[in-house]
Amino acid sequence: MSPSKTFIFLALLSFSPQLFLTISSAVEDNGLLMNYYKESCPQAEEIIKEQVKLLYKRHKNTAFSWLRNIFHDCAVQSCDASLLLTSTKRSLSEQEHDRSFGLRNFRYIDTIKEAVERECPGVVSCSDILVLSARDGVVSLGGPYIPLKTGRRDGRKSRVDLLEEYLPDHNESISSVLDKFGAMGIDTPGVVSLLGAHSVGRTHCTKLVHRLYPEVDPALNPDHIPHMLKKCPDSIPDPKAVQYVRNDRGTPMILDNNYYRNILDNKGLLIVDHQLAHDKRTRPYVKKMAKSQEYFFKEFSKAITLLSENNPLTGSKGEIRKECSVANKQHHDEP
């Protein structure tokens, strides 16, 4: 071994094994860390949690919105808060796309951002606020607390042109849904658990009338049909009208495993719900989650963690937005 190589080898030996573990862990985790703001904004996560509690107390539906946000943002190529950007003259917002139908309450993300900015201006990203508000929203709905890493930075452009490529639709085949989530590293039980989010919230009539008109889908439970017809009396509902069916009539405000019992009983509102209960790849997990809420929560926690860590912007990539709905001024023209 040459003297120079010997020196390098000995220098490497002088570092502790713990340092190598730390370095490899940071690389593996794409720069995300637990308690990323521990030094720069120690109160960040507590402020977000308190804001979520306050807003949920005033407007219960906000928790559904926060939970949907993490799907609609993180599944589309990167967890970078691109969903929160509003339309400009040059760029259409993801919020305007048909796949985003029914998404609302973005103003409450702004409320949380303002509270964090008062404590630590220019430090905490909108993408971390989006992810943590979803995490704390899950708790408000009776779901599990999921420890999540932070350190994401915000994207500068809408990804509206990529929505259909990355974001599964409620009318897609279960194979397509499994493939799209699989590309993010989420396995079959993980996908089954994520669709358990349909245990809360509601489905607008525009998304389910094709199962009622011109003829009722024979796969639907006959006992459930009168209620659906009552809630959705028009074959072509007004998308702006408040016409919807609760996803779970039994426990509509609680994230629980009742969804799985419902879909096994053919009471799922969407095509994807029905497929999930009957496809041979997913049915065993549906049955297992219907029996065990603990198993549902365990798989749901793992899947949300993977979703939240999907291709984040870290380090010098992206920016920390001043306002969540607009990219910082100096970056408007950058890719």
Side-chain angles (χ1 to χ4, degrees):
M1 189 180 287
S2 70
S4 60
K5 284 183 180 176
T6 305
F7 175 77
I8 292 167
F9 178 70
L10 290 171
L12 286 170
L13 286 178
S14 69
F15 288 105
S16 71
Q18 190 60 43
L19 178 61
F20 283 112
L21 286 173
T22 304
I23 292 168
S24 66
S25 174
V27 171
E28 189 181 320
D29 295 337
N30 293 322
L32 299 181
L33 301 167
M34 286 293 179
N35 300 312
Y36 177 85
Y37 299 106
K38 182 172 57 178
E39 304 294 336
S40 58
C41 188
Q43 295 301 310
E45 295 200 27
E46 191 60 33
I47 292 168
I48 293 167
K49 184 167 76 173
E50 287 307 310
Q51 286 293 315
V52 164
K53 280 184 183 173
L54 284 170
L55 291 164
Y56 179 72
K57 200 172 177 181
R58 284 186 230 151
H59 316 278
K60 293 284 190 285
N61 286 341
T62 54
F64 311 146
S65 301
W66 292 322
L67 186 50
R68 281 194 75 189
N69 285 346
I70 197 170
F71 291 106
H72 283 257
D73 186 65
C74 295
V76 185
Q77 202 173 53
S78 173
C79 211
D80 67 348
S82 59
L83 173 68
L84 304 180
L85 294 169
T86 51
S87 293
T88 66
K89 288 178 183 176
R90 303 169 69 177
S91 176
L92 185 69
S93 170
E94 291 171 36
Q95 298 170 27
E96 307 286 336
H97 196 282
D98 181 59
R99 292 275 165 102
S100 303
F101 181 82
L103 286 177
R104 61 196 195 288
N105 293 327
F106 294 111
R107 65 188 182 278
Y108 298 128
I109 291 282
D110 296 332
T111 302
I112 299 170
K113 172 71 168 171
E114 286 161 13
V116 174
E117 286 292 299
R118 284 193 291 273
E119 178 74 16
C120 312
V123 173
V124 181
S125 68
C126 296
S127 44
D128 276 340
I129 289 171
L130 181 149
V131 164
L132 294 179
S133 62
R135 186 263 302 277
D136 296 333
V138 164
V139 173
S140 299
L141 292 167
Y145 175 82
I146 308 168
L148 294 177
K149 294 173 182 173
T150 42
R152 297 163 194 80
R153 288 167 65 84
D154 301 322
R156 300 179 182 126
K157 62 180 182 179
S158 163
R159 298 181 189 272
V160 69
D161 53 325
L162 299 172
L163 254 64
E164 290 183 19
E165 181 184 346
Y166 286 93
L167 196 64
D169 182 61
H170 64 281
N171 283 325
E172 283 185 38
S173 70
I174 198 69
S175 292
S176 175
V177 174
L178 290 171
D179 286 347
K180 285 182 177 178
F181 280 115
M184 291 177 257
I186 299 171
D187 61 11
T188 301
V191 174
V192 173
S193 73
L194 286 178
L195 285 168
H198 289 175
S199 87
V200 293
R202 57 197 190 180
T203 297
H204 198 283
C205 292
T206 56
K207 298 294 184 184
L208 56 86
V209 285
H210 60 285
R211 301 194 74 192
L212 299 173
Y213 304 98
E215 295 177 356
V216 172
D217 183 343
L220 283 167
N221 185 317
D223 296 338
H224 204 46
I225 292 164
H227 174 72
M228 292 173 71
L229 287 168
K230 182 183 176 185
K231 291 289 184 178
C232 301
D234 306 312
S235 60
I236 306 176
D238 178 357
K240 293 180 182 176
V242 185
Q243 290 184 308
Y244 60 85
V245 182
R246 288 280 181 196
N247 290 338
D248 176 2
R249 292 172 67 193
T251 54
M253 303 296 289
I254 301 171
L255 183 70
D256 59 15
N257 65 337
N258 208 35
Y259 164 76
Y260 300 103
R261 291 192 282 271
N262 284 338
I263 64 175
L264 287 169
D265 199 22
N266 295 319
K267 292 179 180 175
L269 300 179
L270 301 171
I271 294 290
V272 73
D273 298 328
H274 178 74
Q275 290 184 359
L276 197 72
H278 295 280
D279 188 279
K280 65 182 180 183
R281 291 164 293 182
T282 51
R283 183 175 173 85
Y285 300 109
V286 170
K287 291 170 82 171
K288 194 170 178 181
M289 289 178 199
K291 286 179 183 171
S292 171
Q293 181 149 291
E294 184 183 352
Y295 177 64
F296 163 44
F297 281 177
K298 185 187 84 167
E299 292 298 331
F300 183 78
S301 299
K302 279 162 51 180
I304 287 287
T305 300
L306 286 167
L307 189 63
S308 76
E309 295 179 10
N310 183 36
N311 194 28
L313 302 179
T314 57
S316 60
K317 295 176 183 173
E319 64 185 17
I320 305 296
R321 281 184 219 148
K322 294 183 177 71
E323 296 176 52
C324 291
S325 59
V326 291
N328 293 344
K329 236 175 193 176
Q330 67 268 31
H331 295 309
H332 273 323
D333 295 327
E334 290 187 22

